[in-house]
Amino acid sequence: MKPHHERLLVATLAGMIIVSAAAFAITPASAAGYNVDQKAQVTGVAWWDQLNIRKWPAAYSKKTGALKPKTWVWVERCVKVENASDWCKVERNHQQGWVNARYLTLHNPYTD
């Protein structure tokens, strides 16, 4: 095998290892989850702050948007993340992603 082929093979293998590690890093999305399918309001966020929407259910995940306090969202489902907060997949005005569940209060139509 020629030296430049060896370097290419090593680089390819290293890339595959990195991609595999990244796949395991975002496994909270496949963690034990539960369906919600109801409205919720953003709560516990200061009036001057916002709740970040993430691509995956993890604080280190890419930010894809933000929600103002008291904003209503549709919660599709949530996942339990071991030794961390639950995360919920939300949607509002065709924007969707994951938010930390501690900042959502579910709407109860029987008491509201």
Short mmCIF file of all heavy atoms in Angstrom, two decimals, residues 36-43 70-75 78 88 90 101 103-112:
data_model
loop_
_atom_site.label_atom_id
_atom_site.label_comp_id
_atom_site.label_asym_id
_atom_site.label_seq_id
_atom_site.Cartn_x
_atom_site.Cartn_y
_atom_site.Cartn_z
N VAL A 36 -46.59 13.40 25.20
CA VAL A 36 -47.29 14.45 25.94
C VAL A 36 -48.49 14.93 25.12
O VAL A 36 -49.61 14.92 25.59
CB VAL A 36 -46.34 15.62 26.28
CG1 VAL A 36 -47.09 16.72 27.00
CG2 VAL A 36 -45.18 15.13 27.12
N ASP A 37 -48.24 15.39 23.90
CA ASP A 37 -49.29 15.86 22.99
C ASP A 37 -50.27 16.82 23.65
O ASP A 37 -51.48 16.58 23.68
CB ASP A 37 -50.03 14.68 22.36
CG ASP A 37 -49.21 14.00 21.27
OD1 ASP A 37 -48.41 14.70 20.63
OD2 ASP A 37 -49.37 12.78 21.08
N GLN A 38 -49.75 17.91 24.18
CA GLN A 38 -50.60 18.95 24.73
C GLN A 38 -49.85 20.27 24.81
O GLN A 38 -48.64 20.33 24.62
CB GLN A 38 -51.17 18.57 26.09
CG GLN A 38 -50.18 18.56 27.23
CD GLN A 38 -50.84 18.13 28.53
OE1 GLN A 38 -51.02 16.95 28.74
NE2 GLN A 38 -51.21 19.06 29.37
N LYS A 39 -50.59 21.34 25.09
CA LYS A 39 -50.01 22.68 25.18
C LYS A 39 -49.25 22.84 26.48
O LYS A 39 -49.57 22.22 27.49
CB LYS A 39 -51.10 23.75 25.13
CG LYS A 39 -51.72 23.93 23.79
CD LYS A 39 -52.73 25.06 23.68
CE LYS A 39 -53.14 25.77 24.91
NZ LYS A 39 -54.10 26.86 24.70
N ALA A 40 -48.26 23.72 26.43
CA ALA A 40 -47.52 24.11 27.63
C ALA A 40 -47.09 25.56 27.47
O ALA A 40 -47.04 26.09 26.36
CB ALA A 40 -46.30 23.22 27.84
N GLN A 41 -46.79 26.17 28.61
CA GLN A 41 -46.35 27.56 28.60
C GLN A 41 -44.92 27.63 29.14
O GLN A 41 -44.56 26.90 30.07
CB GLN A 41 -47.27 28.41 29.47
CG GLN A 41 -47.02 29.89 29.34
CD GLN A 41 -48.07 30.71 30.07
OE1 GLN A 41 -48.60 30.29 31.08
NE2 GLN A 41 -48.37 31.89 29.56
N VAL A 42 -44.12 28.52 28.55
CA VAL A 42 -42.75 28.74 29.02
C VAL A 42 -42.84 29.48 30.35
O VAL A 42 -43.41 30.58 30.42
CB VAL A 42 -41.93 29.54 27.99
CG1 VAL A 42 -40.55 29.88 28.55
CG2 VAL A 42 -41.82 28.77 26.69
N THR A 43 -42.30 28.89 31.41
CA THR A 43 -42.33 29.49 32.75
C THR A 43 -40.95 29.35 33.38
O THR A 43 -40.12 28.57 32.94
CB THR A 43 -43.37 28.80 33.65
OG1 THR A 43 -43.08 27.39 33.70
CG2 THR A 43 -44.78 28.99 33.12
N LYS A 70 -43.63 33.06 28.96
CA LYS A 70 -45.09 33.00 28.85
C LYS A 70 -45.57 32.61 27.45
O LYS A 70 -46.76 32.67 27.16
CB LYS A 70 -45.75 34.30 29.29
CG LYS A 70 -45.46 34.63 30.74
CD LYS A 70 -46.20 35.88 31.17
CE LYS A 70 -45.88 36.18 32.62
NZ LYS A 70 -46.53 37.37 33.10
N THR A 71 -44.66 32.19 26.57
CA THR A 71 -45.04 31.75 25.23
C THR A 71 -45.69 30.37 25.33
O THR A 71 -45.25 29.51 26.08
CB THR A 71 -43.79 31.65 24.32
OG1 THR A 71 -43.20 32.94 24.24
CG2 THR A 71 -44.15 31.17 22.94
N TRP A 72 -46.75 30.16 24.55
CA TRP A 72 -47.41 28.86 24.48
C TRP A 72 -46.78 28.03 23.37
O TRP A 72 -46.51 28.55 22.28
CB TRP A 72 -48.91 29.02 24.23
CG TRP A 72 -49.64 29.52 25.43
CD1 TRP A 72 -49.95 30.83 25.71
CD2 TRP A 72 -50.11 28.76 26.53
NE1 TRP A 72 -50.59 30.91 26.91
CE2 TRP A 72 -50.71 29.65 27.44
CE3 TRP A 72 -50.08 27.40 26.85
CZ2 TRP A 72 -51.29 29.23 28.65
CZ3 TRP A 72 -50.66 26.98 28.03
CH2 TRP A 72 -51.25 27.89 28.92
N VAL A 73 -46.57 26.76 23.65
CA VAL A 73 -45.99 25.83 22.67
C VAL A 73 -46.79 24.54 22.69
O VAL A 73 -47.52 24.25 23.64
CB VAL A 73 -44.50 25.53 22.97
CG1 VAL A 73 -43.65 26.77 22.84
CG2 VAL A 73 -44.33 24.88 24.33
N TRP A 74 -46.63 23.75 21.65
CA TRP A 74 -47.19 22.40 21.61
C TRP A 74 -46.06 21.44 21.98
O TRP A 74 -44.99 21.47 21.38
CB TRP A 74 -47.76 22.07 20.24
CG TRP A 74 -48.37 20.70 20.21
CD1 TRP A 74 -47.82 19.56 19.73
CD2 TRP A 74 -49.65 20.34 20.73
NE1 TRP A 74 -48.68 18.51 19.91
CE2 TRP A 74 -49.81 18.96 20.53
CE3 TRP A 74 -50.67 21.05 21.35
CZ2 TRP A 74 -50.95 18.27 20.92
CZ3 TRP A 74 -51.81 20.37 21.73
CH2 TRP A 74 -51.94 19.00 21.52
N VAL A 75 -46.29 20.60 22.98
CA VAL A 75 -45.29 19.62 23.40
C VAL A 75 -45.66 18.28 22.81
O VAL A 75 -46.71 17.72 23.10
CB VAL A 75 -45.22 19.51 24.94
CG1 VAL A 75 -44.14 18.51 25.34
CG2 VAL A 75 -44.96 20.87 25.56
N CYS A 78 -41.52 14.01 25.49
CA CYS A 78 -40.39 14.33 26.35
C CYS A 78 -39.54 13.08 26.54
O CYS A 78 -40.03 11.96 26.34
CB CYS A 78 -40.88 14.84 27.71
SG CYS A 78 -41.84 16.37 27.60
N CYS A 88 -38.05 18.21 26.36
CA CYS A 88 -39.29 18.05 25.61
C CYS A 88 -39.13 18.61 24.19
O CYS A 88 -38.52 19.67 24.00
CB CYS A 88 -40.44 18.77 26.30
SG CYS A 88 -40.84 18.06 27.91
N VAL A 90 -40.73 20.50 21.32
CA VAL A 90 -41.82 21.46 21.23
C VAL A 90 -41.92 22.01 19.82
O VAL A 90 -40.99 21.92 19.02
CB VAL A 90 -41.63 22.63 22.22
CG1 VAL A 90 -41.61 22.12 23.65
CG2 VAL A 90 -40.38 23.43 21.92
N ALA A 101 -37.27 20.64 30.09
CA ALA A 101 -38.64 20.50 30.60
C ALA A 101 -38.90 21.31 31.86
O ALA A 101 -40.05 21.64 32.14
CB ALA A 101 -38.95 19.02 30.85
N TYR A 103 -38.58 24.26 32.33
CA TYR A 103 -39.09 25.59 31.99
C TYR A 103 -40.44 25.54 31.27
O TYR A 103 -40.84 26.52 30.64
CB TYR A 103 -38.07 26.34 31.14
CG TYR A 103 -36.78 26.55 31.89
CD1 TYR A 103 -35.65 25.82 31.58
CD2 TYR A 103 -36.70 27.47 32.95
CE1 TYR A 103 -34.46 25.98 32.29
CE2 TYR A 103 -35.53 27.63 33.65
CZ TYR A 103 -34.41 26.89 33.32
OH TYR A 103 -33.25 27.07 34.03
N LEU A 104 -41.13 24.42 31.38
CA LEU A 104 -42.46 24.28 30.78
C LEU A 104 -43.48 23.94 31.86
O LEU A 104 -43.21 23.14 32.75
CB LEU A 104 -42.47 23.16 29.73
CG LEU A 104 -41.62 23.36 28.48
CD1 LEU A 104 -41.69 22.11 27.61
CD2 LEU A 104 -42.06 24.59 27.70
N THR A 105 -44.65 24.54 31.75
CA THR A 105 -45.78 24.18 32.60
C THR A 105 -46.89 23.71 31.67
O THR A 105 -47.37 24.47 30.83
CB THR A 105 -46.26 25.38 33.44
OG1 THR A 105 -45.18 25.83 34.25
CG2 THR A 105 -47.44 25.01 34.30
N LEU A 106 -47.27 22.44 31.84
CA LEU A 106 -48.30 21.87 30.98
C LEU A 106 -49.65 22.51 31.25
O LEU A 106 -50.00 22.82 32.39
CB LEU A 106 -48.39 20.36 31.18
CG LEU A 106 -47.19 19.56 30.71
CD1 LEU A 106 -47.36 18.09 31.07
CD2 LEU A 106 -46.98 19.71 29.22
N HIS A 107 -50.41 22.70 30.20
CA HIS A 107 -51.75 23.26 30.26
C HIS A 107 -52.74 22.18 30.67
O HIS A 107 -52.80 21.13 30.03
CB HIS A 107 -52.13 23.84 28.90
CG HIS A 107 -53.57 24.21 28.75
ND1 HIS A 107 -54.13 25.26 29.42
CD2 HIS A 107 -54.57 23.65 28.04
CE1 HIS A 107 -55.41 25.36 29.10
NE2 HIS A 107 -55.69 24.38 28.26
N ASN A 108 -53.47 22.41 31.73
CA ASN A 108 -54.50 21.47 32.15
C ASN A 108 -55.85 22.10 31.84
O ASN A 108 -56.29 23.01 32.54
CB ASN A 108 -54.38 21.16 33.66
CG ASN A 108 -55.36 20.10 34.09
OD1 ASN A 108 -56.34 19.80 33.41
ND2 ASN A 108 -55.09 19.53 35.24
N PRO A 109 -56.55 21.62 30.80
CA PRO A 109 -57.81 22.25 30.41
C PRO A 109 -58.90 22.15 31.46
O PRO A 109 -59.88 22.88 31.41
CB PRO A 109 -58.19 21.50 29.12
CG PRO A 109 -57.46 20.21 29.20
CD PRO A 109 -56.21 20.47 29.99
N TYR A 110 -58.72 21.29 32.43
CA TYR A 110 -59.75 21.10 33.47
C TYR A 110 -59.60 22.06 34.62
O TYR A 110 -60.52 22.26 35.39
CB TYR A 110 -59.72 19.66 33.96
CG TYR A 110 -59.94 18.67 32.83
CD1 TYR A 110 -58.89 17.88 32.37
CD2 TYR A 110 -61.17 18.57 32.21
CE1 TYR A 110 -59.07 17.01 31.33
CE2 TYR A 110 -61.37 17.69 31.15
CZ TYR A 110 -60.31 16.92 30.72
OH TYR A 110 -60.49 16.05 29.67
N THR A 111 -58.40 22.68 34.76
CA THR A 111 -58.21 23.62 35.85
C THR A 111 -57.94 25.05 35.36
O THR A 111 -57.96 25.96 36.15
CB THR A 111 -57.03 23.20 36.76
OG1 THR A 111 -55.83 23.16 35.98
CG2 THR A 111 -57.30 21.84 37.39
N ASP A 112 -57.65 25.20 34.10
CA ASP A 112 -57.33 26.54 33.56
C ASP A 112 -58.58 27.26 33.08
O ASP A 112 -59.55 26.73 32.71
CB ASP A 112 -56.33 26.44 32.41
CG ASP A 112 -54.98 25.97 32.90
OD1 ASP A 112 -54.71 26.11 34.11
OD2 ASP A 112 -54.19 25.48 32.08
#
